[in-house]
Amino acid sequence: MSNLVSVPKNGSLSNTNSNLNFPSWSSWIDDIFNRELPSVLTSNFSTGMTMPQVNIRETADAYFVDMAVPGMKKSDFNINLDNQLLSISTESSEEHTHENENFTRKEFGYSAFKRSFNLPETINENKIEAKYNDGILSIHLPKKEEAKQRPPRTIKVS
């Protein structure tokens, strides 16, 4: 496949005049945003939590929601059900202080997430259960009796 546009090494698509030694405005902006960030900005001030991955599976009797959230405690989770909307959230903060004769260093981190799911009306809301084990939050969403899949049966003709 042939290239339609030749892109300079800095990734800028702007035309530059080779007679001028001063960079164009857009290449100057590109240069700022393409630089490596100073280590002070990339240091580990946060706990590094991102939006957790979720697996949802259905069986004949229930739905199961499994969420990968290692490093949390059971008490960190807020699980709410409001009009068929299941919301799972957590919020945590961390602070470390290192004191020495000549300096005090304070580091802190904050992380939070919220995931929401619209549940079908076939869920038995009174029997929802949640467990947290080995970094996995598991929520069991049982179906109402009338919504459970039943095995096929043969009907005799009389």
Side-chain angles (χ1 to χ4, degrees):
M1 179 179 245
S2 65
N3 289 337
L4 298 176
V5 177
S6 177
V7 179
K9 213 174 193 181
N10 68 0
S12 170
L13 292 177
S14 65
N15 291 329
T16 56
N17 187 343
S18 60
N19 295 332
L20 298 175
N21 290 331
F22 192 75
S24 70
W25 178 253
S26 65
S27 67
W28 181 74
I29 295 293
D30 287 344
D31 185 46
I32 288 174
F33 288 107
N34 289 329
R35 282 189 195 151
E36 292 288 325
L37 293 174
S39 63
V40 99
L41 296 177
T42 58
S43 64
N44 190 18
F45 281 106
S46 71
T47 59
M49 179 174 283
T50 58
M51 190 63 70
Q53 297 294 315
V54 175
N55 289 331
I56 300 173
R57 60 188 166 90
E58 180 182 12
T59 65
D61 299 333
Y63 292 94
F64 295 90
V65 176
D66 295 322
M67 182 179 290
V69 281
M72 306 297 290
K73 297 178 290 214
K74 292 177 188 180
S75 60
D76 291 337
F77 296 102
N78 296 311
I79 303 173
N80 298 306
L81 183 63
D82 184 22
N83 292 328
Q84 263 51 48
L85 183 69
L86 178 71
S87 298
I88 306 163
S89 63
T90 186
E91 187 174 333
S92 67
S93 60
E94 196 175 330
E95 186 173 316
H96 299 285
T97 303
H98 304 280
E99 293 189 25
N100 196 335
E101 288 180 21
N102 300 325
F103 69 91
T104 298
R105 183 178 78 193
K106 207 176 228 190
E107 293 182 2
F108 58 92
Y110 173 83
S111 62
F113 75 83
K114 182 174 185 178
R115 298 282 312 250
S116 296
F117 305 94
N118 287 314
L119 300 180
E121 292 181 14
T122 58
I123 298 297
N124 188 341
E125 297 176 7
N126 297 323
K127 293 190 177 182
I128 296 175
E129 295 178 349
K131 294 179 184 176
Y132 183 67
N133 191 23
D134 294 333
I136 304 293
L137 176 66
S138 299
I139 302 174
H140 176 239
L141 303 161
K143 293 180 182 178
K144 292 178 182 175
E145 203 57 44
E146 61 270 13
K148 292 181 181 179
Q149 294 176 357
R150 291 177 178 75
R153 66 183 181 107
T154 303
I155 301 171
K156 293 185 179 185
V157 178
S158 56

